[in-house]
Amino acid sequence: MTADLIDGKAFAAGLRGRIAEQVAAMRQAHGITPGLAVVLVGEDPASAVYVRSKGRMTAEVGMQGFTHRLPNTTAQHDLLDLVARLNADAAVNGILVQLPLPAHLDEIAVINAIAPEKDVDGFTVLNAGRLATGQRAMVPCTPLGCLMLLRDRLGALAGRDALVIGRSNIVGKPMAQLLLSESATVTVAHSRTRDLPGLCRRAEIVVAAVGRPSFVQGSWIRPGATVIDVGINRTDEGLVGDVDFAAAREVAGAITPVPGGVGPMTIACLLANTLTATARVHGLPDPEGLTP
Ligand code: NDP
């Protein structure tokens, strides 16, 4: 059996199209244009690429983009001052501070300084707590994108056996929370997990967010399973995921490729969250199909 490819690139393009329509409708009906501010500190080349594509896609869906590039030497209080100004700026509905920050900066303090209603990455402690307790939250973009792909493929997720490999605050944990809120039966694996292959063989859904190239073996995959590969690993062979794609593809029912799977969903969901944040701050209903 050869698995179906889950085309995240095409799904994300469709999602951005729907966002653009809703942005245009919001402007026409209410005279509001959503605004997204992206803050980049330092010269990390991968971060610079992400920030450029975020800026381009923000414009493509008709939102206002504000990019703030700060030098590597930026002091903590200067960064916090900028976040405070963006919090107070009515034209800015979403704020994203590109991670990782240079080592001398306190990442947790900076993230938690973002106003929760503008926290389109969903990384503040308040939004993480809301997600964990089933309250209306801003949901981290990558797990939100994975959930959309899973729902599109599988429909209802209730009762399904799901394995999330990785427990980071930005992917693994919020992914597990989202699957739990969909009433899946969720196992979260990490570096201390025993018998990962055995857990994997039981799972109808595998979300791999490990950060190790081709780590999940084809022989671990349950026949027919849906495999979401979050990993982005730069190797001599180019970009590869956390799943041994060629081998897993022979066993799984459906699988996301890397690149072209989860990656494009992350930026699309950032735009979705910005539109949601804009609607909420103006007391409008949540936009159609963009929230969990
Ligand atoms: P982290 O490094 O923060 O977390 C990795 C997780 O994998 C940890 O929980 C770690 O366990 C676990 N892990 C490490 N080794 C093993 C092992 N041998 N067995 C089981 N679990 C293990 O990474 P992120 O969550 O930030 O990112 C994961 C991957 O996803 C990376 O490749 C990253 O580049 C990619 N990514 C892709 C995005 C996209 O847009 N597509 C967005 C964000 C990330 P422990 O906690 O015990 O250390």
Side-chain angles (χ1 to χ4, degrees):
M1 169 176 185
T2 302
D4 296 334
L5 277 190
I6 299 176
D7 189 345
K9 197 175 168 190
F11 193 98
L15 183 58
R16 291 197 307 274
R18 294 195 294 283
I19 292 168
E21 283 168 14
Q22 296 192 51
V23 168
M26 187 184 266
R27 185 180 301 116
Q28 200 167 27
H30 306 285
I32 300 164
T33 302
L36 172 64
V38 176
V39 179
L40 173 64
V41 186
E43 282 96 40
D44 179 64
S47 294
V49 171
Y50 288 137
V51 167
R52 266 200 303 279
S53 41
K54 282 167 187 168
R56 182 167 48 79
M57 289 185 187
T58 302
E60 273 172 22
V61 297
M63 294 183 183
Q64 256 194 298
F66 310 93
T67 304
H68 297 266
R69 290 190 174 79
L70 305 181
N72 226 336
T73 50
T74 300
Q76 178 84 6
H77 65 86
D78 287 330
L79 184 52
L80 289 174
D81 280 353
L82 173 60
V83 170
R85 283 202 303 279
L86 297 174
N87 283 342
D89 185 344
V92 172
N93 302 108
I95 301 170
L96 178 145
V97 177
Q98 184 68 43
L99 303 180
L101 288 173
H104 68 280
L105 296 171
D106 179 349
E107 214 162 82
I108 293 176
V110 172
I111 294 303
N112 283 315
I114 297 171
E117 66 276 13
K118 298 189 179 187
D119 168 30
V120 282
D121 252 342
F123 292 164
T124 60
V125 113
L126 196 75
N127 277 312
R130 283 179 180 155
L131 177 61
T133 53
Q135 298 174 60
R136 202 171 78 153
M138 295 304 304
V139 175
C141 305
T142 301
L144 179 58
C146 294
L147 180 70
M148 287 183 185
L149 294 178
L150 282 168
R151 279 214 196 114
D152 183 60
R153 170 76 194 177
L154 297 170
L157 306 178
R160 291 192 189 262
D161 229 316
L163 174 67
V164 179
I165 315 178
R167 56 172 164 180
S168 71
N169 290 331
I170 66 171
V171 189
K173 276 184 209 153
M175 187 73 245
Q177 299 288 2
L178 283 173
L179 288 165
L180 198 55
S181 63
E182 297 289 305
S183 298
T185 302
V186 185
T187 304
V188 183
H190 46 77
S191 66
R192 309 291 287 275
T193 294
R194 293 197 197 122
D195 191 23
L196 183 57
L199 290 173
C200 218
R201 282 187 195 107
R202 281 186 12 207
E204 301 168 78
I205 295 169
V206 176
V207 181
V210 187
R212 292 178 172 224
S214 308
F215 172 75
V216 175
Q217 305 297 297
S219 60
W220 302 359
I221 302 294
R222 170 172 163 167
T226 302
V227 179
I228 305 290
D229 189 349
V230 181
I232 299 179
N233 305 290
R234 287 176 178 79
T235 71
D236 293 342
E237 283 83 51
L239 280 192
V240 292
D242 289 342
V243 178
D244 181 347
F245 179 79
R249 198 178 179 190
E250 295 308 311
V251 195
I255 186 167
T256 58
V258 177
V262 174
M265 291 300 291
T266 298
I267 297 186
C269 286
L270 173 68
L271 302 172
N273 278 348
T274 303
L275 185 58
T276 300
T278 309
R280 288 178 182 174
V281 82
H282 289 285
L284 302 170
D286 275 358
E288 213 42 42
L290 303 185
T291 49

